Amino acid sequence: MTKPCIICVAITGSVPTKADNPAVPTAIDEQVESTHAAFEAGATIAHCHVRNEDQTPSSDPERFARLMEGLKRHCPGMIIQLSTGGRSGAGRARGGMLPLRPDMASLSVGSNNFPSRVYENPPDLVDWLAAEMLAHDVKPEIEAFDLSHIVQATRMAADGRLRAPLYVQFVMGVKNAMPLDREIFDFYIRTLNRLAPDAEWCGAGIGAGQILMNEWSIAAGGHTRT
Amino acid sequence: MTKPCIICVAITGSVPTKADNPAVPTAIDEQVESTHAAFEAGATIAHCHVRNEDQTPSSDPERFARLMEGLKRHCPGMIIQLSTGGRSGAGRARGGMLPLRPDMASLSVGSNNFPSRVYENPPDLVDWLAAEMLAHDVKPEIEAFDLSHIVQATRMAADGRLRAPLYVQFVMGVKNAMPLDREIFDFYIRTLNRLAPDAEWCGAGIGAGQILMNEWSIAAGGHTRT
Ligand SMILES: [Zn+2]
Ligand SMILES: [Zn+2]
Ligand SMILES: [Zn+2]
Ligand SMILES: [Zn+2]
């Protein structure tokens, strides 16, 4: 029996604007229609960011609520995952939408460098976001930008800060963090399997590495992000 | 022929005070005498922090200059490595002592979580510290708190921001960063050997893991930190 592959679609990141690509959906109705098309094409999870009117990233719970409402109507049964990423807000504002009880939310459990800054996820904020997800029954997708993030997630599951089984996303291709590297990708899988045998994982390649990461992930029995 | 093992002694970290352990050398004359004893016992590299009068961490170049002067007099031939770690100062103040041209200085090339905060090494500061070390002919010891830091160092050597051969320290046992894990330790060595075959490495275990990390490192042909 073959295991189904979960395809997660990230319609709108936090950075690109219509100046970069006019097709980027930034208004909520555009995001809903774009996700609907991906849902029809077979995507199972929608990874969601919201934007302000000027296209800058936002964590506004009211915007997230409107997006969730549209997705539930147009994509019934699709898993809705909201981003708690650091580009969209500061501190606990990043988790202000968790009481909306989306199916999933992204969770970074460590810090690392990004192309031009530090992606800061201080330990007390990580613990608070994890506790909010437990309280509101939100399944985290662990965003692993480095090896220690995988290890840290397994420790948080072991001590009850996260609920097992884990769902971990390996993120590769980020400048100043982890590049796409096949031996490291394989070691990520081995390490997760060793420390959390019941975990599921998916691979996300940033920029030019996206298609290659999709191929590696599907061939290795993981899930993937487009 | 056997390869000599380099023992690096870190006499004074940035955190403990005489309230924690009355034997911690925090005044410069205490540091010089303590290093002298380690030098007599076979240590080759002195990893140095300096403190203010109240024992808080400092990056004051004048203090570093007095420490270097004492070490050169009492421990002739010992390799002097100054810390540019983030606990002792903010931003470029961390590298203000590099014009003293110590033999070596520590260099973090990525960011990660520490027990209660983010250890911030933003990309522009990393590049500035690396450039200062090139300009003043200071050999960096790369402090690798996570796997991507090893990869990043090899990329910086490949594009000329660092001078090969690299000297990399694997730091394990830091809460919220990388624990002591034998399979990960072995993978660190394999990855460094694959990406920078001419590199040397040493292992540093924090707290309770120190002795085990010494054993692993010496047995695996690396250098070590006490
Ligand atoms: Zn995202
Ligand atoms: Zn629709
Ligand atoms: Zn140090
Ligand atoms: Zn002496």
Side-chain angles (χ1 to χ4, degrees):
Chain A
M1 211 185 85
T2 57
K3 188 177 87 170
C5 173
I6 300 170
I7 298 174
C8 172
V9 60
I11 291 296
T12 313
S14 53
V15 177
T17 67
K18 289 192 187 296
D20 301 304
N21 182 345
V24 172
T26 56
I28 284 176
D29 58 341
E30 294 171 338
Q31 293 181 304
V32 170
E33 273 321 299
S34 181
T35 308
H36 188 174
F39 183 59
E40 298 285 335
T44 310
I45 302 178
H47 172 82
C48 306
H49 291 252
V50 290
R51 301 292 187 90
N52 296 308
E53 296 302 324
D54 64 359
Q55 301 187 56
T56 56
S58 168
S59 301
D60 182 7
E62 197 272 325
R63 284 174 189 273
F64 272 120
R66 280 198 285 132
L67 178 59
M68 282 177 66
E69 195 189 305
L71 292 179
K72 281 178 179 166
R73 199 166 52 238
H74 287 251
C75 315
M78 194 171 197
I79 295 168
I80 300 177
Q81 178 188 108
L82 304 186
S83 171
T84 68
R87 283 200 182 90
S88 312
R92 295 191 177 188
R94 289 166 50 181
M97 82 298 276
L98 294 171
L100 297 172
R101 307 177 78 89
D103 303 300
M104 300 182 76
S106 60
L107 178 66
S108 289
V109 297
S111 299
N112 55 276
N113 277 0
F114 268 175
S116 61
R117 64 185 184 90
V118 180
Y119 182 34
E120 292 185 57
N121 295 290
D124 54 350
L125 178 63
V126 171
D127 286 345
W128 181 81
L129 287 167
E132 282 289 291
M133 292 188 198
L134 276 181
H136 299 293
D137 205 22
V138 178
K139 170 105 180 167
E141 175 180 83
I142 306 301
E143 316 286 357
F145 289 89
D146 211 334
L147 179 59
S148 81
H149 304 181
I150 297 170
V151 179
Q152 179 74 359
T154 67
R155 281 187 292 193
M156 292 176 70
D159 68 20
R161 282 176 287 169
L162 295 173
R163 194 173 285 139
L166 293 171
Y167 190 78
V168 178
Q169 176 167 273
F170 307 143
V171 189
M172 303 188 107
V174 178
K175 186 184 169 197
N176 294 327
M178 191 61 83
L180 255 83
D181 180 297
R182 180 68 211 214
E183 295 196 30
I184 292 173
F185 173 79
D186 290 340
F187 190 73
Y188 275 2
I189 299 171
R190 282 206 304 282
T191 301
L192 183 65
N193 287 343
R194 172 169 64 93
L195 299 177
D198 61 347
E200 295 282 327
W201 61 269
C202 69
I206 302 303
Q210 184 182 320
I211 301 298
L212 185 57
M213 192 68 170
N214 292 156
E215 292 173 0
W216 287 358
S217 298
I218 293 167
H223 308 293
T224 199
R225 160 80 72 90
T226 67
Chain B
M1 211 186 86
T2 57
K3 188 177 88 170
C5 173
I6 300 170
I7 298 174
C8 172
V9 61
I11 291 297
T12 312
S14 54
V15 177
T17 67
K18 288 191 187 296
D20 301 304
N21 182 345
V24 173
T26 56
I28 284 176
D29 58 340
E30 294 170 337
Q31 292 181 305
V32 170
E33 272 321 299
S34 181
T35 308
H36 187 175
F39 183 60
E40 297 286 333
T44 312
I45 303 179
H47 172 80
C48 306
H49 291 252
V50 289
R51 301 292 186 91
N52 296 309
E53 295 303 323
D54 64 358
Q55 302 185 55
T56 55
S58 167
S59 300
D60 180 7
E62 196 273 325
R63 284 176 190 272
F64 273 119
R66 281 198 286 133
L67 178 59
M68 281 177 66
E69 195 188 305
L71 292 178
K72 281 179 178 165
R73 199 165 52 236
H74 287 250
C75 314
M78 193 171 198
I79 296 167
I80 299 176
Q81 177 188 108
L82 304 185
S83 171
T84 68
R87 284 200 182 91
S88 312
R92 295 190 177 188
R94 289 166 49 180
M97 82 298 276
L98 295 171
L100 297 172
R101 307 177 79 88
D103 304 298
M104 299 183 77
S106 60
L107 178 66
S108 289
V109 297
S111 299
N112 57 275
N113 277 359
F114 268 175
S116 60
R117 65 186 183 89
V118 179
Y119 183 33
E120 292 185 58
N121 296 290
D124 55 350
L125 178 63
V126 171
D127 286 346
W128 180 81
L129 287 167
E132 281 290 291
M133 293 187 199
L134 276 181
H136 299 293
D137 205 22
V138 178
K139 169 105 180 166
E141 175 182 83
I142 306 299
E143 316 285 356
F145 289 89
D146 212 334
L147 179 59
S148 80
H149 304 182
I150 297 170
V151 178
Q152 179 75 357
T154 65
R155 282 187 291 193
M156 292 176 71
D159 68 19
R161 282 176 287 170
L162 295 173
R163 193 172 287 139
L166 293 171
Y167 190 78
V168 178
Q169 175 166 275
F170 307 143
V171 189
M172 303 189 108
V174 178
K175 186 184 169 197
N176 294 327
M178 192 61 84
L180 254 83
D181 179 298
R182 180 68 210 215
E183 295 195 30
I184 292 172
F185 173 79
D186 290 340
F187 190 73
Y188 275 2
I189 300 171
R190 282 207 304 282
T191 302
L192 183 65
N193 287 342
R194 172 169 64 93
L195 299 176
D198 60 347
E200 294 282 326
W201 61 269
C202 69
I206 303 303
Q210 184 182 320
I211 300 298
L212 184 59
M213 192 69 170
N214 291 156
E215 291 172 2
W216 287 358
S217 299
I218 293 167
H223 308 294
T224 200
R225 159 81 72 87
T226 66

